[in-house]
Amino acid sequence: MNFRRVHFLTFCMAALFTVLSMGESRAQTTIGTVHSPKGFGLSIESNKTTDYHHITSFSVIVDMMDVWSDKRASVGTKGTYTHNIVIKRGVVDKVVDWEFYAGPGLTGGYARDAGKDYGLIAGITGCSGARFKFPNRVVISMDFNLDICCFATKSSRNGVYNMAFYDAGLTHCFYPQIKISYALR
Amino acid sequence: MKNITYKILIFSLLSFMSFTVYGQDKARMEPVFGVEWGGATTILERYHRNFMAEAGYRVDEKGSVMSLKTTGSLTAKAGIRFNDHYTATVNTGIMGVRQQRSAVPITARFSYSFKNYEQNGLMCFLEAGAIYPNRYYANFITESGLGYRIGLSHRFSLDFMLTFRVCADERKITDPDTGADVDIWNIKKNNSTFFATGYKIAINF
């Protein structure tokens, strides 16, 4: 697998999603960064009310499996798309709007699993979290993601792909993911 | 860490705290909490090891090693905002010290906002305390940083900081002839000091 090609494809998807989400009428688009023990990266969210209030999110992260602990030096890449439904909304501190959301999504990428080498990841994800929107257009959200994915590694002996369960998707689901974003409108 | 180091540390912190609290309007004091995370890259390690080798001779090693090793940290903090400028907090959580070595830090931090706490502006901090690689002993840590604070509302603010950290720890010593671990009673000195630079992001509320 060409590592540069995976990076290029993921960022193309992010750019496409940005253009599409900004083109939607009445949608509020936010662009920001993602911070987590799992990794860090970029996030684009589109907040819209149709029949129900929802937040569509796309994030690309640099997967830091075993890098923070300095066991390894090279990183992976992962992209996640989620369609979150706002369950509850409110106002805190008189000016800060908050929303509690949860929803399903898709995830994929090229990264390592715990104790394994690089492989392709593909599967579904579940997300739940809270989002705070401040008067100066800064949006901070914290969510948890549960990834149920398959993990395909290429065997160095015969070149055949071996399929396995992506363990880190379950074991790292308690790692919080904080997004710091700016609302474009 | 020696008792005298603890005493100096506690005395320094109390002196600084008394200076900042002196003359402040107590009615404006507010509790402050926060979470903070970031990464740091060790740029230099200074070491001094003195031990008895298995063959019977004494080894005394001193020197510096330059190495770029990245570690992360995640901490929570609680403290008091004295006025629009001064804040004192106690921080604890988990941090990476060096390769495959994590520790629990317990530190006191004093931060100063150049503008009002609720406004956007530069801030700086000074922090000192102890790290506990395990529960049996502690090592000294100090950190300073300069950053930019974004005031989000009356209670919430966001800090982006560049930091410089000095942290003491020790390494496992191996015998130069056999390669086996040196017994602890044959070690007279085993000090390593790690100099690291990094970034931190904090949400205060």
Side-chain angles (χ1 to χ4, degrees), chain A residues 33 35-37 40 64 67-71 92-93 95-96 132 134-136 138 140 176 178 180, chain B residues 35 37-39 69-72 74 99-100 120 150-156 158 160 199 201 203:
Chain A
T33 52
H35 309 263
S36 167
F40 58 88
M64 299 292 279
V67 178
W68 288 130
S69 58
D70 209 10
K71 288 175 187 166
V92 66
D93 208 17
V95 288
V96 184
F132 298 85
F134 296 92
N136 53 358
V138 174
I140 296 177
I178 294 172
I180 300 171
Chain B
V35 288
W37 65 93
K69 300 286 182 187
T70 304
T71 53
L74 177 66
Q99 196 172 20
Q100 295 182 32
N120 300 353
I150 299 173
L152 300 172
S153 72
H154 174 65
R155 282 209 63 82
F156 292 88
L158 190 62
F160 296 93
Y199 75 94
I201 299 170
I203 298 172

Side-chain angles (χ1 to χ4, degrees), chain B residues 13 15 27 41-42 47 50 55 66 80 84 87-88 95 105 114-115 119 139 158 162 174 178 185 191-192 200:
Chain B
L13 295 176
S15 307
T41 303
T42 303
Y47 61 88
N50 190 307
M66 282 194 76
I80 297 168
D84 287 333
T87 309
M95 60 170 276
F114 289 92
K115 288 195 174 177
Q119 292 176 330
N139 279 317
L158 190 62
L162 292 173
T174 51
T178 61
W185 49 83
N191 294 342
S192 287
K200 279 190 172 176

Side-chain angles (χ1 to χ4, degrees), chain A residues 155-178:
Chain A
S155 171
S156 55
R157 289 180 188 170
N158 48 20
V160 176
Y161 275 95
N162 296 320
M163 298 290 277
F165 187 76
Y166 181 55
D167 294 332
L170 285 181
T171 54
H172 291 180
C173 71
F174 297 108
Y175 289 172
Q177 186 170 273
I178 294 172

Side-chain angles (χ1 to χ4, degrees), chain B:
Chain B
M1 193 158 63
K2 290 176 182 176
N3 281 338
I4 187 72
T5 318
Y6 271 122
K7 284 172 187 169
I8 292 169
L9 178 67
I10 290 165
F11 179 76
S12 313
L13 295 176
L14 287 175
S15 307
F16 195 85
M17 190 179 271
S18 61
F19 169 73
T20 52
V21 173
Y22 179 75
Q24 304 302 330
D25 183 359
K26 287 180 182 172
R28 298 183 69 187
M29 285 189 187
E30 285 185 14
V32 63
F33 305 94
V35 288
E36 193 171 292
W37 65 93
T41 303
T42 303
I43 48 176
L44 184 74
E45 178 192 349
R46 287 180 63 82
Y47 61 88
H48 185 191
R49 296 174 200 124
N50 190 307
F51 60 95
M52 187 70 80
E54 205 168 296
Y57 59 93
R58 182 160 290 282
V59 178
D60 189 66
E61 295 175 334
K62 270 185 191 176
S64 305
V65 183
M66 282 194 76
S67 60
L68 298 173
K69 300 286 182 187
T70 304
T71 53
S73 68
L74 177 66
T75 52
K77 59 185 176 183
I80 297 168
R81 193 167 91 193
F82 295 115
N83 57 22
D84 287 333
H85 299 286
Y86 289 103
T87 309
T89 54
V90 174
N91 297 21
T92 188
I94 189 158
M95 60 170 276
V97 180
R98 57 174 168 82
Q99 196 172 20
Q100 295 182 32
R101 173 87 155 178
S102 59
V104 175
I106 300 174
T107 57
R109 173 186 292 184
F110 297 94
S111 55
Y112 178 81
S113 303
F114 289 92
K115 288 195 174 177
N116 281 357
Y117 190 84
E118 295 164 24
Q119 292 176 330
N120 300 353
L122 285 174
M123 52 83 66
C124 61
F125 74 88
L126 186 65
E127 181 176 345
I131 55 162
Y132 292 84
N134 57 51
R135 61 180 178 173
Y136 300 110
Y137 71 93
N139 279 317
F140 180 75
I141 183 172
T142 181
E143 192 165 16
S144 59
L146 181 70
Y148 191 78
R149 172 166 290 162
I150 299 173
L152 300 172
S153 72
H154 174 65
R155 282 209 63 82
F156 292 88
S157 66
L158 190 62
D159 297 342
F160 296 93
M161 296 165 279
L162 292 173
T163 63
F164 179 71
R165 186 175 82 192
V166 180
C167 176
D169 199 10
E170 57 188 41
R171 279 191 183 274
K172 191 182 280 184
I173 297 178
T174 51
D175 193 279
D177 303 318
T178 61
D181 292 349
V182 175
D183 291 329
I184 196 159
W185 49 83
N186 285 333
I187 299 171
K188 191 177 174 187
K189 197 160 206 165
N190 183 10
N191 294 342
S192 287
T193 310
F194 298 90
F195 299 84
T197 182
Y199 75 94
K200 279 190 172 176
I201 299 170
I203 298 172
N204 309 305
F205 46 88

